[in-house]
Amino acid sequence: MSGRTAARIARPVTPTTILAAELDELVRDLDAVAGLPADTADRLRRARDLAAGLDPYVAECTTRESADLAKLAERTAETDWAHRDAPDGAVFLEQEMLSGHVEGQTLKFLVWLSGARRVLEIGMFTGYSALAMAEALPEDGSLMACEVDAEAARFAQQCFGSSVAGQRISIAVGPAMGTLQALAETFDGDVFDLVFIDADKAGYLEYVNYLLDSPLLSPDAVIVVDNTLMQGQPYMGAQRSGNGDAIAAFNKAIADDPRVEQVLIPLRDGVTLIRRVAR
């Protein structure tokens, strides 16, 4: 991977970090306003600190990531992904796509709680979430990661090659729906116990519907879907991006689907857990 540069500070891309940044700007603006009541300024600072301190405190109270995960995160942060933002059809990538410490530990916990032996990931980026889940799998467990971007897949494979749990991960490069269809067509009875979806937002509903209608899931399988708060756009309504519209439509469709039960957890940019219910 070329284009290494000094790691930069990640921009705010989750509801809590966006809120903290907005409140910080308001504090700075109001500090310049003469005659502002002291208690009003103090309340605004407390609101700012309440928002800004949440994620760091949650991370502080969460089990530390492994050395392999820390190394992968560092490599991702040090890599200049901006060179990919080019008019040649390349997939847009940025360091904020990394799941990160707390979400990674949550995924590990879900693998352990579910007793999963086979995991499917749709959308891998540099492999942080895949490696986190693989670390929780039993010795004979396996994880298949679908990644459309060949360069990101090569980056991840390099990280997996030098990690303890990386040998449990296989990568399918190409459009995820094609991979799912191929798996269903050649189905041999090996089902997935947990699926993590963090790919193109417009494709979320198609992925979930295909999985629910396919033989690929175990009876008690859990589907975990990332970015279901999408920077607050689904509930803010105004000035939604295309991804914001897609997530809002996905959330409503899942909430209205009688085949499943779900819970949307305000973790990072939103994580929804989905499971089939008995018919």
Side-chain angles (χ1 to χ4, degrees):
M1 173 74 71
S2 61
R4 288 292 180 94
T5 187
R8 63 176 178 82
I9 298 174
R11 64 184 178 88
V13 292
T14 68
T16 54
T17 56
I18 293 170
L19 175 61
E22 289 284 341
L23 289 171
D24 192 51
E25 288 187 20
L26 281 172
V27 168
R28 291 200 302 270
D29 289 345
L30 291 178
D31 278 343
V33 176
L36 185 71
D39 66 324
T40 299
D42 287 342
R43 288 172 61 194
L44 185 57
R45 290 189 185 93
R46 286 199 299 272
R48 186 265 318 268
D49 294 345
L50 186 65
L54 177 61
D55 285 357
Y57 185 71
V58 169
E60 179 184 336
C61 296
T62 297
T63 298
R64 186 173 300 177
E65 63 193 351
S66 68
D68 289 334
L69 287 170
K71 186 185 302 182
L72 190 156
E74 183 179 6
R75 282 194 63 196
T76 302
E78 289 177 346
T79 298
D80 179 13
W81 300 102
H83 75 288
R84 296 296 310 282
D85 193 13
D88 62 356
V91 177
F92 175 73
L93 300 174
E94 59 178 338
Q95 74 175 65
E96 286 81 8
M97 291 178 173
L98 193 84
S99 298
H101 168 211
V102 174
E103 188 169 354
Q105 291 302 307
T106 301
L107 291 169
K108 286 181 70 171
F109 226 100
L110 288 171
V111 170
W112 178 80
L113 281 173
S114 64
R117 303 185 74 82
R118 296 191 77 227
V119 173
L120 173 67
E121 179 173 64
I122 300 176
M124 177 183 65
F125 186 36
T126 58
Y128 189 97
S129 52
L131 185 57
M133 291 186 287
E135 289 182 346
L137 285 169
E139 288 296 325
D140 61 346
S142 64
L143 183 149
M144 173 178 283
C146 304
E147 176 53 51
V148 71
D149 189 280
E151 188 175 354
R154 284 193 295 270
F155 184 104
Q157 189 62 68
Q158 291 171 2
C159 296
F160 298 157
S162 61
S163 67
V164 175
Q167 76 277 3
R168 299 176 190 146
I169 303 171
S170 61
I171 302 174
V173 180
M177 186 53 66
T179 299
L180 294 181
Q181 291 169 345
L183 287 171
E185 289 170 2
T186 59
F187 182 66
D188 59 2
D190 285 337
V191 292
F192 294 103
D193 306 304
L194 187 142
V195 180
F196 180 50
I197 302 176
D198 184 12
D200 55 305
K201 311 313 169 192
Y204 273 17
L205 190 57
E206 185 180 11
Y207 295 140
V208 171
N209 281 333
Y210 189 86
L211 287 166
L212 291 175
D213 292 335
S214 78
L216 298 176
L217 299 181
S218 64
D220 296 321
V222 175
I223 301 175
V224 186
V225 186
D226 201 14
N227 301 115
T228 48
L229 288 179
M230 185 49 65
Q231 303 173 14
Q233 292 181 33
Y235 60 87
M236 292 290 287
Q239 296 182 327
R240 278 185 192 154
S241 63
N243 280 341
D245 284 337
I247 291 297
F250 171 79
N251 288 342
K252 185 177 189 311
I254 294 300
D256 293 341
D257 192 332
R259 298 174 297 173
V260 299
E261 290 183 345
Q262 72 287 331
V263 57
L264 199 168
I265 303 171
L267 167 66
R268 198 168 179 262
D269 200 28
V271 173
T272 296
L273 308 183
I274 302 168
R275 75 175 189 92
R276 277 189 296 208
V277 294
R279 300 183 185 181

